[in-house]
Amino acid sequence: MKKQILLIAASMVWAAGNALAADAAENWAKNCASCHAKDGSGNTMMGKKSGVESYADPKVQAKFTDEEAFKSISEGKGKMKAFKDKLTPEEIKALVAHIRAFKK
Ligand code: HEC
């Protein structure tokens, strides 16, 4: 019985994790990919114009901490506008994790 409950709990956590990942990918495609590109490379017209760097590059990833990325996304940085009115802190945190996954 205990084992069954554990299994149910584990599959619920797994489903919730998947839902979050899907949201981050969707939010990225909707709000960020126009500049940063779908794959995080920054290889878009807007990206080239505004000077975004490739998040596939570990050196670029090392330039900011998760906290700094969170702040830049929330409050804006350089040519990037603030997203705190559009996205919840949870969504922004999920986007930071999404960005880290672009690293090669
Ligand atoms: C209008 C184009 C544009 C859009 C849209 C955009 N960004 Fe950016 N982003 C930039 C530019 C340009 C920089 C470099 C800013 C600088 O260092 O001056 C940047 C920098 C960043 C950084 C690095 C922050 C740091 O502290 O160095 C992160 C993380 C980031 N963007 C995430 C996102 C996320 C997540 C979204 C979508 C919610 C997004 N960006 C949407 C243009 C954009």
Side-chain angles (χ1 to χ4, degrees):
M1 190 58 192
K2 210 170 165 192
K3 210 169 171 185
Q4 257 167 335
I5 291 171
L6 265 178
L7 262 176
I8 292 167
S11 62
M12 274 164 67
V13 169
W14 184 81
N18 263 7
L20 259 182
D23 280 354
E26 206 182 306
N27 280 333
W28 178 262
K30 251 195 268 170
N31 301 294
C32 324
S34 56
C35 294
H36 290 283
K38 208 148 183 229
D39 62 358
S41 65
N43 203 1
T44 64
M45 241 178 26
M46 291 273 278
K48 282 181 201 147
K49 247 194 245 166
S50 57
V52 305
E53 297 179 289
S54 173
Y55 295 141
D57 186 344
K59 283 200 283 298
V60 174
Q61 289 265 3
K63 282 189 188 172
F64 51 84
T65 63
D66 286 0
E67 288 72 29
E68 281 162 353
F70 183 88
K71 192 164 173 262
S72 301
I73 300 164
S74 307
E75 291 166 22
K77 185 178 182 190
K79 296 210 173 68
M80 180 166 74
K81 64 172 185 164
F83 283 95
K84 64 173 181 294
D85 297 334
K86 243 184 137 179
L87 302 167
T88 66
E90 287 72 32
E91 285 173 323
I92 294 174
K93 263 186 217 151
L95 280 170
V96 174
H98 190 72
I99 290 167
R100 292 306 188 196
F102 290 133
K103 189 160 108 180
K104 295 253 162 71

